[in-house]
Amino acid sequence: MAKVLIVDDAAFMRMMLKNILMKGGHEVIGEAENGLDAIEKYKNLQPEVVTMDITMPVMEGIEAVRHIKEFDPNAKILMCSAMGQQLMIIQAIEAGAIDFIVKPFQEERVLESVRKVLSN
Amino acid sequence: MSFDYREVFIEELEEQLQLMDDEIMKLEQSDSEEVVQSLFRAAHTLKGSSAAMGFEEMKQLTHRMEQLLDQVRSRQRPVTAQLIDLLFLALDNLKLLKEDILRNDPSSTDISLCIEKLQTFAENSEVSRPTAASASDPGESGIAKLRLTMSDRLKVQQIQERGQHVFWVRVSIASDCLIKGARAYVIHSKMLEWGEVLLASPDLENLDESNEFSEITLLYGGTQSSEELSVLVSGLTDVESVNVEPIHPEETTLSQQPPAASEKSAGEEVQQTAKIKSQTIRVSVERLDHLMNLVGELVIDQTRIHQVERTQRRRVSDESVNELGHISDHLSRIIGDLQESVMKARMLPIEQLFNRFPRMIRDLSRDLGKEIDLVIEGQDTELDRTLIEEIADPLIHLIRNAIDHGIEGPDKRADAGKNRTGTLVIRAAHEDNQVVIYVQDDGAGIDPEKIKASAIKKGLVTPEEAEQFSEREAIELIFRPGFSTAAVVSDVSGRGVGMDIVRSNIEKLNGMIDIETKLGEGTCFKIKLPLTLAIIAGLQVKLQKQTLIIPMSNIAEIVRVTSGEIEIVRGQSVILLRNRVIPVVDIHDQFKADRTQQSRIPLVIVGSAEKRLALVVDELIGNQEIVIKSLGSYIGKVEGIAGATILGDGSVALILEISALFNRISGK
C-alpha cells in the first residue's frame, strides 16, 4: 500500500501507529521524533504519507509541515492531534496538512484517513 | 494488545515524570515561557499515551494539568505559589498512579480529591478567555438564517454572472468526531479546492473547542454541479450527510446593511526549544548483564592463557611460545577494551538519581522549617546502573539525616553566627577508579559526648567502655545497630532505618562509608563505590595453599611487621600503626590452615567506615581484575564469603567479605 513516515516524540505513540499501519498493509519506512528529524527523513526517504504529531520538542509539527510543503508541495501529511489542539490543527491545515486524526488512535479511523489522504 | 506497549509506556512515563519534577521546580524559581512550554508538552504527551493505554485516571489528571498549564502558557494565569503546590500535588498523584500501574493494581489510588482541587482552582479564578464573536452562535445554523453581507451578495452575483453555481451546502458531522472545529476547518479548506467559500457557519475564524455543533453550513461558489459537490463532500472524513441546495435569488438582493465583519484571531506563535536528543537505542539491562557475564568469562580465560604461556616459557623457549605470548598480550588488550566498553554501556550519569533530590529537599526543608541551599555537583559522573539503584536508599537516608539532624533551624543558626540558610552539598566524582559521593552539610556537626551518652543510655556500650573511646570511635557508634541520636524521632529520619543499614547496604556494594565531622561546623559523609559490581580489583593472598581474594576497595594499606610488633592488649592482638591501635585478626583457624612461622608477617589492613582491621596472611601474590561469581545454589550464602572466582590456573578462589569480618569482631 503506502510508504509511511511516522513523526512523534513519544516512542510509545510511534509504536502504536506503526502497528496499526502495518496491520492495514502499509509500510512504515521511517520514524522521526521531532520536526527537524522529520524534514530530514522526508527528504531522504520520500514517503507517500507522513503522520505528524503536533507537540514535539526541537521543532513542532506545524513548523515541520511548512518546511516539508516548501520542499515538496505535493507532500501528503496527516496530523496527529489530541483533544484541545483545535487551533493547532487549523494552523497545520493552513500550512498544508491534508487531514488529521485524533488520539487515542482507533485503528479503523487511522486507516480510513490514510486511505483518503492517498486518494486525494 | 496493550500489554506489548506497557514497557515502553512505563519507561516514557518515568522520563516524563522526572521532567515534570525538574520543570515545576524551575517554574517555582522563575516563570519562564520555555519551562511552561516544556511542562505543558510533558502533560500533553502523558495524556495521550495514558488515554491510549486505557489508564483513565491518569488521563483525567494530566488533562487537568494540561488545562491549567495552557492558561499559564497563554498568560491568562500567573504563576503563584498555590499553582506550584497544586502542580506538585498532581505530580505526586501521577507518581502514585504509576506505582499502581507497576503493581498491576489500577484502582488503589484515589485521585478524585486531587482532580477536584485542580478543577476548583481552575474555575474559581476563572480567567478571561478571549470569547468567540457572538456571530457564530451554533444555534443558528439553519440555512435560511445565514445572512449575506453586502460584499457577499456582490460576490454571489459576480460568480453567477461567470456562469458558475452558488450552493448552500449543509454538512452533518459524525457525532463521534472528536475535534469538530478542526474537522469543519478541514472540510472548509477542501471546499476551497473545488471553488470558493463565501460564507461559513459556525464562523471558522473564531472557533473554540467548547463549541458544540453537529452541522456546518457553507456557501459555495464554483463550477461543480450540486450532484458532484454532494459526492465530493460526502467522501470526506467524519461527514455523515450532505445537503446541497441552490441559493435563493431573494437572498442576494442588494438592499440590506451588512453586519460587522468578525475580527481575525491572532495566530499562535510556535515555540522552538533547542533541546536536541542524542542518538540512542534502548537495550534491556538483561542483555547487558549477559554481555558482562560473557566478558567475565573471557577475562578468566585470558588469565588462564597467560598462565599457560608463563609455564610454557619456563619449560621451553621457541618461536611458538613467543607467539603465544604476543597473542596473549594482544588478547588481554582487546578484552580490556571490551570490558571497558561493556562497562560503559551499563553506566548512567548519576544525574538520574541526583535529580530526585531537589524536590525531596524542598519538601523536607519546608516541613521542618529549615532554609537550605542545595548544591549538586558532578551529576554527570557515571556509574553502573545497578549501583545507582542500590545507592539511592542509603543516600536518601543520609540526606534526610543531614536536613533533620545536621542543619539547624534558621534562628539557631543565626544565634551561632552562621548564615540563616544552611548549605547541603551533594557531590559525585571519579577518584582512582572509584566513584566517590559526598553528602556534606554545614550544620551542627556530631557531638561525640552526646553520642556516647546516648549509646550508654541505649545499652550499646557500658560507661567504662565509653570512657576508653577516642572521639572518632565515639562518632562511629552511630553505625551500631539500634542507634539513633534524635531526641525526638521525627517522621523524616529515624523511621527504623539506621545508619547501620546504610553502612551495610554500602558494603554490600563493595563500597565504604567514611564520616568527617566538626562540632558546630558540619558533617561530611563520603561514600566510595566501585565503578561496577561484576568485575572488581582484588588482592590475591595465600593462606598456606589456599588462595583468597580481598576486594581492593576494602584495603586501606599493606604492611609487614615482625612478630614482636604484635602486642596483646586485654586478650586481643593489636598493632600500633602511626599511633593508632588496630586489632590483628588471624583467619587461619577459620580456613583450617596451619600457621606459618615467618620473620616478617604481611598484614593487610582492611577498612570499614573508620574501623580498621589487620588481617594476617602468609603470602601476598598480587592484584588482579577478578570476576565475581556466586557460590551457586547448592552452597548458598556463606558467612564471610562474598563469592568466588576462577583463577588463571583454573582453581577456584574465595572472595572475602570484609564487612562480615568486622561484624564478627565486634560481636565477640
Side-chain angles (χ1 to χ4, degrees), chain A residues 8-20 23 33-34 36-37 41 53-63 66-67 80-94 97-107 109 112-113 115-117 120, chain B residues 1 4-6 8-9 12 16 37 40-41 44-45 47-53 63 66 70 73 174 176-186 189-190 193 204 207-209 211 234-238 265-279 282:
Chain A
D8 200 311
D9 58 333
F12 171 76
M13 279 294 171
R14 292 200 299 271
M15 192 162 145
M16 258 193 114
L17 255 182
K18 189 174 181 174
N19 282 0
I20 294 177
K23 265 193 217 162
E33 58 180 34
N34 62 56
L36 214 56
D37 196 12
K41 295 221 163 92
D53 185 30
I54 292 177
T55 327
M56 286 183 292
V58 187
M59 185 193 276
E60 299 221 0
I62 299 167
E63 187 69 20
R66 287 195 190 109
H67 284 281
C80 301
S81 116
M83 292 296 289
Q85 294 192 310
Q86 178 151 296
L87 199 66
M88 305 272 203
I89 300 172
I90 291 176
Q91 285 173 357
I93 303 290
E94 271 171 356
I98 293 184
D99 202 349
F100 67 96
I101 43 181
V102 184
K103 296 174 193 172
F105 299 128
Q106 286 164 290
E107 197 174 316
R109 271 176 181 270
E112 173 78 359
S113 293
R115 193 180 58 74
K116 281 183 174 156
V117 166
N120 193 268
Chain B
M1 80 170 178
D4 306 339
Y5 302 123
R6 218 181 104 101
V8 186
F9 170 75
E12 285 196 338
Q16 299 288 351
Q37 194 74 26
F40 176 82
R41 262 206 304 269
H44 179 78
T45 304
K47 185 176 83 167
S49 22
S50 55
M53 289 294 291
H63 176 66
E66 189 191 347
D70 190 36
R73 191 169 67 150
D176 60 345
C177 166
L178 285 171
I179 309 181
K180 294 202 166 90
R183 181 52 62 203
Y185 193 85
V186 172
S189 61
K190 271 280 167 243
E193 288 178 20
L204 296 173
L207 280 177
D208 77 39
E209 202 137 332
N211 265 0
S234 47
L236 296 174
T237 310
D238 284 337
S265 64
E268 201 173 314
E269 195 90 2
V270 178
Q271 173 121 16
Q272 264 182 281
T273 49
K275 196 179 147 206
I276 291 170
K277 272 193 183 172
S278 56
Q279 280 217 322
R282 290 174 199 273

Side-chain angles (χ1 to χ4, degrees), chain B residues 195-208:
Chain B
E196 282 177 68
V197 176
L198 303 170
L199 261 184
S201 163
D203 182 1
L204 296 173
E205 298 281 341
N206 279 316
L207 280 177
D208 77 39

